[in-house]
């Protein structure tokens, strides 16, 4: 069903520019996600083009692999540009999972960037690496040759929500200095001052609400991002 959805959203070709991700636990539980690069697609979440990560309470013990588009954690991410894409695995518990990559010839090759170790790993078809759940903001998928040392034009931060009542802010270059979360009416609900080199932070707020997340980096660059928190 996911393959059919991606084919329709990406213009009918299910095999073109499609990266498939599978997360498998030691006891065989699995989840899947895909990234498709397609001309004319939106970078942000669009219903009917992307599929939001669905955390089924009946399958809560299955770690869920996801990527990020706009401010949404996605199972299907259809994007128009070759840029870095945040990648993570949600889990109700912290545990190790094997992450397998297929379709790695997209965009003339893709790499996995680990912010914590600052290592770029070239991916090949069928490659598996071991990661842990709930390490939000640590991993990024990027086409070979993409610069990681510089922030992108505009908002280079990733701002999203995976868990109910939680805001995640991530920077692949470790430039975060402060994060503040406001209600739509301007009331400050949460804030964090970041230590030098901080790559990600989580803030707890009331769930099922709309917020404005104000982010500042070490160069004084600021961004205000509207976010719905589950």
């Amino acid at each position: 069903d996911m393959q059919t959805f991606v084919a329709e959203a990406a213009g009918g070709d299910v095999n073109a520019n499609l990266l498939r991700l599978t997360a498998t636990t030691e006891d065989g539980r699995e989840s899947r996600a895909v990234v498709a690069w397609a001309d004319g697609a939106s970078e942000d979440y669009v219903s009917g083009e992307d599929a939001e990560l669905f955390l089924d309470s009946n399958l809560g013990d299955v770690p869920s692999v996801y990527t990020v588009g706009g401010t949404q954690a996605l199972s299907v991410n259809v994007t128009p540009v070759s840029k870095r894409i945040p990648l993570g695995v949600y889990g109700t518990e912290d545990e190790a999972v094997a992450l397998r990559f297929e379709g790695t010839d997209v965009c003339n090759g893709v790499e996995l960037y680990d912010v914590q170790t600052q290592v770029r790993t070239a991916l090949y078809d069928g490659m598996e690496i071991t990661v842990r759940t709930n390490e939000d903001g640590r991993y990024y998928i990027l086409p070979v040759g993409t610069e990681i040392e510089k922030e992108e034009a505009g908002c280079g931060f990733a701002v999203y929500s995976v868990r109910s009542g939680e805001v995640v802010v991530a920077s692949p270059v470790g430039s975060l200095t402060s994060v503040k979360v406001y209600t739509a009416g301007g009331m400050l609900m949460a804030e964090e001052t970041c230590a030098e080199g901080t790559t990600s932070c989580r803030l707890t707020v009331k769930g099922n609400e709309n917020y404005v997340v104000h982010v500042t980096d070490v160069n004084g660059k600021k961004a205000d991002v509207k976010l719905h928190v589950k």
Side-chain angles (χ1 to χ4, degrees):
D1 291 343
M2 184 182 290
Q3 295 279 351
T4 301
F5 179 93
V6 174
E8 293 173 352
D13 189 348
V14 73
N15 294 312
N17 299 322
L18 179 62
L19 178 66
R20 297 176 293 279
L21 314 169
T22 304
T24 307
T25 63
E26 292 181 352
D27 58 2
R29 292 166 290 148
E30 285 191 348
S31 68
R32 294 177 177 82
V34 294
V35 179
W37 284 268
D39 292 335
S42 172
E43 293 183 44
D44 295 326
Y45 167 75
V46 176
S47 177
E49 178 177 279
D50 307 299
E52 187 177 355
L53 176 68
F54 178 63
L55 299 176
D56 188 337
S57 59
N58 295 320
L59 299 173
D61 63 339
V62 179
S64 298
V65 59
Y66 67 87
T67 61
V68 176
T71 59
Q72 295 287 343
L74 304 173
S75 294
V76 175
N77 188 350
V78 182
T79 182
V81 292
S82 298
K83 67 172 189 177
R84 59 194 183 221
I85 299 172
L87 164 70
V89 183
Y90 165 86
T92 55
E93 298 181 0
D94 293 339
E95 61 181 305
V97 298
L99 195 57
R100 186 171 70 253
F101 300 86
E102 297 172 288
T104 54
D105 57 346
V106 297
C107 300
N108 297 315
V110 289
E111 299 174 321
L112 183 72
Y113 178 64
D114 183 339
V115 174
Q116 183 171 306
T117 62
Q118 298 184 359
V119 171
R120 302 172 65 136
T121 302
L123 301 175
Y124 57 82
D125 237 26
M127 182 175 181
E128 289 191 1
I129 63 169
T130 300
V131 302
R132 297 197 67 83
T133 57
N134 305 319
E135 293 189 315
D136 305 307
R138 177 172 177 175
Y139 297 103
Y140 289 79
I141 297 170
L142 60 158
V144 171
T146 303
E147 289 190 49
I148 200 69
E149 293 79 12
K150 299 179 181 178
E151 288 286 10
E152 298 167 347
C155 178
F157 315 110
V159 180
Y160 58 98
S161 177
V162 182
R163 300 161 195 79
S164 178
E166 187 174 271
V167 176
V168 176
V169 180
S171 165
V173 296
S175 64
L176 299 176
T177 58
S178 70
V179 179
K180 298 180 179 180
V181 183
Y182 296 90
T183 65
M187 180 180 296
L188 180 64
M189 297 299 293
E191 65 177 319
E192 181 165 333
T193 300
C194 307
E196 183 178 352
T198 297
T199 59
S200 67
C201 65
R202 298 178 183 173
L203 297 93
T204 301
V205 294
K206 182 180 178 181
N208 197 29
E209 297 285 349
N210 295 316
Y211 296 98
V212 176
V213 183
H214 182 78
V215 188
T216 305
D217 74 359
V218 293
N219 298 313
K221 177 181 173 183
K222 299 179 180 181
D224 289 318
V225 180
K226 296 179 180 179
L227 175 68
H228 177 75
V229 177
K230 301 176 183 179

